Amino acid sequence: MKIMVIGSSGAGKSTFSKKLSERTGYPLLHLDKIWHETDYSDSALAYFKKVQKQFIAENENCIVDGNYSGTMETRLPSADLIIWLKISRLKALRRVISRSLKTRFAGKNRSDMATNFVEKFDKEYWEFMKFIWNFPKKMNLE
């Protein structure tokens, strides 16, 4: 069984996926961990797709955690089950801000994130907040 877990940032995909992996024993791939290890270039995107294809091909049963709509076509054809976590915009924003504060100021590292990733409260972060706010509209959930 190949399971894809998708949803807005802050929906709880990684937490849910970790618990599902523990219960099923299925190997788990956190897409954030892979993507944020790269330099976000075109060659990084090719590498990102390659890692996904390889993980899915090598595992009869597996869980892939993450959206990354630009690479959905890489993994969705292999999916036996798609779990889409849906939560309100405000809850998603609250969760993301809370985890950002924990990561940045309390030194809590996320096991689902690349070790070199540093939480920054800059323009890019606020663009990320806008992305979360617009996610339901972009995905035609309103």
PDB file of all heavy atoms in Angstrom, residues 12-27:
ATOM      1  N   GLY A  12      -0.974  19.183   9.880  1.00  0.00           N
ATOM      2  CA  GLY A  12      -0.610  18.036  10.707  1.00  0.00           C
ATOM      3  C   GLY A  12      -0.155  16.835   9.900  1.00  0.00           C
ATOM      4  O   GLY A  12      -0.149  15.710  10.402  1.00  0.00           O
ATOM      5  N   LYS A  13       0.241  17.060   8.656  1.00  0.00           N
ATOM      6  CA  LYS A  13       0.662  15.965   7.776  1.00  0.00           C
ATOM      7  C   LYS A  13       1.821  15.163   8.360  1.00  0.00           C
ATOM      8  O   LYS A  13       1.768  13.937   8.388  1.00  0.00           O
ATOM      9  CB  LYS A  13       1.086  16.505   6.398  1.00  0.00           C
ATOM     10  CG  LYS A  13       0.002  17.167   5.601  1.00  0.00           C
ATOM     11  CD  LYS A  13       0.496  17.667   4.263  1.00  0.00           C
ATOM     12  CE  LYS A  13       1.628  18.654   4.334  1.00  0.00           C
ATOM     13  NZ  LYS A  13       1.312  19.940   4.950  1.00  0.00           N
ATOM     14  N   SER A  14       2.841  15.848   8.808  1.00  0.00           N
ATOM     15  CA  SER A  14       4.032  15.156   9.307  1.00  0.00           C
ATOM     16  C   SER A  14       3.741  14.401  10.591  1.00  0.00           C
ATOM     17  O   SER A  14       4.178  13.255  10.753  1.00  0.00           O
ATOM     18  CB  SER A  14       5.175  16.145   9.522  1.00  0.00           C
ATOM     19  OG  SER A  14       5.556  16.696   8.284  1.00  0.00           O
ATOM     20  N   THR A  15       2.998  15.012  11.492  1.00  0.00           N
ATOM     21  CA  THR A  15       2.631  14.342  12.746  1.00  0.00           C
ATOM     22  C   THR A  15       1.789  13.110  12.462  1.00  0.00           C
ATOM     23  O   THR A  15       2.051  12.021  12.984  1.00  0.00           O
ATOM     24  CB  THR A  15       1.863  15.316  13.665  1.00  0.00           C
ATOM     25  OG1 THR A  15       2.707  16.441  13.930  1.00  0.00           O
ATOM     26  CG2 THR A  15       1.464  14.658  14.965  1.00  0.00           C
ATOM     27  N   PHE A  16       0.781  13.270  11.610  1.00  0.00           N
ATOM     28  CA  PHE A  16      -0.071  12.147  11.238  1.00  0.00           C
ATOM     29  C   PHE A  16       0.749  11.045  10.563  1.00  0.00           C
ATOM     30  O   PHE A  16       0.607   9.868  10.880  1.00  0.00           O
ATOM     31  CB  PHE A  16      -1.199  12.629  10.315  1.00  0.00           C
ATOM     32  CG  PHE A  16      -2.076  11.525   9.824  1.00  0.00           C
ATOM     33  CD1 PHE A  16      -3.117  11.044  10.606  1.00  0.00           C
ATOM     34  CD2 PHE A  16      -1.862  10.949   8.573  1.00  0.00           C
ATOM     35  CE1 PHE A  16      -3.922  10.009  10.157  1.00  0.00           C
ATOM     36  CE2 PHE A  16      -2.662   9.919   8.116  1.00  0.00           C
ATOM     37  CZ  PHE A  16      -3.702   9.443   8.912  1.00  0.00           C
ATOM     38  N   SER A  17       1.609  11.437   9.625  1.00  0.00           N
ATOM     39  CA  SER A  17       2.415  10.467   8.883  1.00  0.00           C
ATOM     40  C   SER A  17       3.347   9.680   9.793  1.00  0.00           C
ATOM     41  O   SER A  17       3.519   8.472   9.621  1.00  0.00           O
ATOM     42  CB  SER A  17       3.229  11.174   7.788  1.00  0.00           C
ATOM     43  OG  SER A  17       2.374  11.750   6.838  1.00  0.00           O
ATOM     44  N   LYS A  18       3.958  10.369  10.761  1.00  0.00           N
ATOM     45  CA  LYS A  18       4.841   9.679  11.715  1.00  0.00           C
ATOM     46  C   LYS A  18       4.067   8.626  12.498  1.00  0.00           C
ATOM     47  O   LYS A  18       4.527   7.495  12.659  1.00  0.00           O
ATOM     48  CB  LYS A  18       5.458  10.680  12.696  1.00  0.00           C
ATOM     49  CG  LYS A  18       6.596  11.469  12.136  1.00  0.00           C
ATOM     50  CD  LYS A  18       7.174  12.378  13.212  1.00  0.00           C
ATOM     51  CE  LYS A  18       7.341  13.766  12.656  1.00  0.00           C
ATOM     52  NZ  LYS A  18       7.735  14.753  13.621  1.00  0.00           N
ATOM     53  N   LYS A  19       2.886   9.000  12.986  1.00  0.00           N
ATOM     54  CA  LYS A  19       2.067   8.051  13.762  1.00  0.00           C
ATOM     55  C   LYS A  19       1.598   6.891  12.893  1.00  0.00           C
ATOM     56  O   LYS A  19       1.595   5.737  13.332  1.00  0.00           O
ATOM     57  CB  LYS A  19       0.886   8.778  14.398  1.00  0.00           C
ATOM     58  CG  LYS A  19       1.316   9.700  15.515  1.00  0.00           C
ATOM     59  CD  LYS A  19       0.160  10.450  16.134  1.00  0.00           C
ATOM     60  CE  LYS A  19       0.679  11.367  17.232  1.00  0.00           C
ATOM     61  NZ  LYS A  19      -0.374  12.182  17.817  1.00  0.00           N
ATOM     62  N   LEU A  20       1.227   7.181  11.656  1.00  0.00           N
ATOM     63  CA  LEU A  20       0.803   6.129  10.740  1.00  0.00           C
ATOM     64  C   LEU A  20       1.963   5.183  10.433  1.00  0.00           C
ATOM     65  O   LEU A  20       1.784   3.962  10.399  1.00  0.00           O
ATOM     66  CB  LEU A  20       0.257   6.758   9.450  1.00  0.00           C
ATOM     67  CG  LEU A  20      -0.327   5.809   8.417  1.00  0.00           C
ATOM     68  CD1 LEU A  20      -1.502   5.019   8.988  1.00  0.00           C
ATOM     69  CD2 LEU A  20      -0.753   6.592   7.174  1.00  0.00           C
ATOM     70  N   SER A  21       3.145   5.729  10.252  1.00  0.00           N
ATOM     71  CA  SER A  21       4.333   4.921   9.998  1.00  0.00           C
ATOM     72  C   SER A  21       4.641   4.013  11.192  1.00  0.00           C
ATOM     73  O   SER A  21       4.971   2.833  11.018  1.00  0.00           O
ATOM     74  CB  SER A  21       5.530   5.825   9.694  1.00  0.00           C
ATOM     75  OG  SER A  21       6.700   5.070   9.539  1.00  0.00           O
ATOM     76  N   GLU A  22       4.519   4.565  12.393  1.00  0.00           N
ATOM     77  CA  GLU A  22       4.758   3.764  13.606  1.00  0.00           C
ATOM     78  C   GLU A  22       3.766   2.610  13.706  1.00  0.00           C
ATOM     79  O   GLU A  22       4.139   1.497  14.081  1.00  0.00           O
ATOM     80  CB  GLU A  22       4.670   4.648  14.844  1.00  0.00           C
ATOM     81  CG  GLU A  22       5.833   5.612  14.994  1.00  0.00           C
ATOM     82  CD  GLU A  22       5.603   6.671  16.059  1.00  0.00           C
ATOM     83  OE1 GLU A  22       4.583   6.605  16.789  1.00  0.00           O
ATOM     84  OE2 GLU A  22       6.437   7.602  16.148  1.00  0.00           O
ATOM     85  N   ARG A  23       2.506   2.865  13.382  1.00  0.00           N
ATOM     86  CA  ARG A  23       1.462   1.833  13.501  1.00  0.00           C
ATOM     87  C   ARG A  23       1.564   0.773  12.411  1.00  0.00           C
ATOM     88  O   ARG A  23       1.276  -0.395  12.661  1.00  0.00           O
ATOM     89  CB  ARG A  23       0.086   2.470  13.470  1.00  0.00           C
ATOM     90  CG  ARG A  23      -0.157   3.281  14.731  1.00  0.00           C
ATOM     91  CD  ARG A  23      -1.574   3.590  14.915  1.00  0.00           C
ATOM     92  NE  ARG A  23      -2.245   2.392  15.401  1.00  0.00           N
ATOM     93  CZ  ARG A  23      -3.480   2.382  15.816  1.00  0.00           C
ATOM     94  NH1 ARG A  23      -4.183   3.478  15.817  1.00  0.00           N
ATOM     95  NH2 ARG A  23      -4.040   1.262  16.227  1.00  0.00           N
ATOM     96  N   THR A  24       1.949   1.186  11.202  1.00  0.00           N
ATOM     97  CA  THR A  24       1.978   0.247  10.072  1.00  0.00           C
ATOM     98  C   THR A  24       3.349  -0.373   9.846  1.00  0.00           C
ATOM     99  O   THR A  24       3.447  -1.429   9.220  1.00  0.00           O
ATOM    100  CB  THR A  24       1.559   0.961   8.767  1.00  0.00           C
ATOM    101  OG1 THR A  24       2.502   2.010   8.495  1.00  0.00           O
ATOM    102  CG2 THR A  24       0.149   1.515   8.858  1.00  0.00           C
ATOM    103  N   GLY A  25       4.395   0.310  10.303  1.00  0.00           N
ATOM    104  CA  GLY A  25       5.749  -0.132  10.012  1.00  0.00           C
ATOM    105  C   GLY A  25       6.209   0.267   8.620  1.00  0.00           C
ATOM    106  O   GLY A  25       7.286  -0.136   8.175  1.00  0.00           O
ATOM    107  N   TYR A  26       5.407   1.059   7.918  1.00  0.00           N
ATOM    108  CA  TYR A  26       5.758   1.492   6.569  1.00  0.00           C
ATOM    109  C   TYR A  26       6.851   2.554   6.623  1.00  0.00           C
ATOM    110  O   TYR A  26       6.807   3.452   7.460  1.00  0.00           O
ATOM    111  CB  TYR A  26       4.561   2.098   5.847  1.00  0.00           C
ATOM    112  CG  TYR A  26       3.447   1.141   5.487  1.00  0.00           C
ATOM    113  CD1 TYR A  26       3.479  -0.213   5.818  1.00  0.00           C
ATOM    114  CD2 TYR A  26       2.339   1.604   4.803  1.00  0.00           C
ATOM    115  CE1 TYR A  26       2.448  -1.062   5.478  1.00  0.00           C
ATOM    116  CE2 TYR A  26       1.301   0.750   4.454  1.00  0.00           C
ATOM    117  CZ  TYR A  26       1.356  -0.578   4.798  1.00  0.00           C
ATOM    118  OH  TYR A  26       0.325  -1.421   4.455  1.00  0.00           O
ATOM    119  N   PRO A  27       7.805   2.485   5.706  1.00  0.00           N
ATOM    120  CA  PRO A  27       8.817   3.542   5.633  1.00  0.00           C
ATOM    121  C   PRO A  27       8.157   4.869   5.243  1.00  0.00           C
ATOM    122  O   PRO A  27       7.164   4.888   4.512  1.00  0.00           O
ATOM    123  CB  PRO A  27       9.785   3.070   4.559  1.00  0.00           C
ATOM    124  CG  PRO A  27       9.178   1.883   3.920  1.00  0.00           C
ATOM    125  CD  PRO A  27       8.020   1.426   4.735  1.00  0.00           C
TER     126      PRO A  27
END
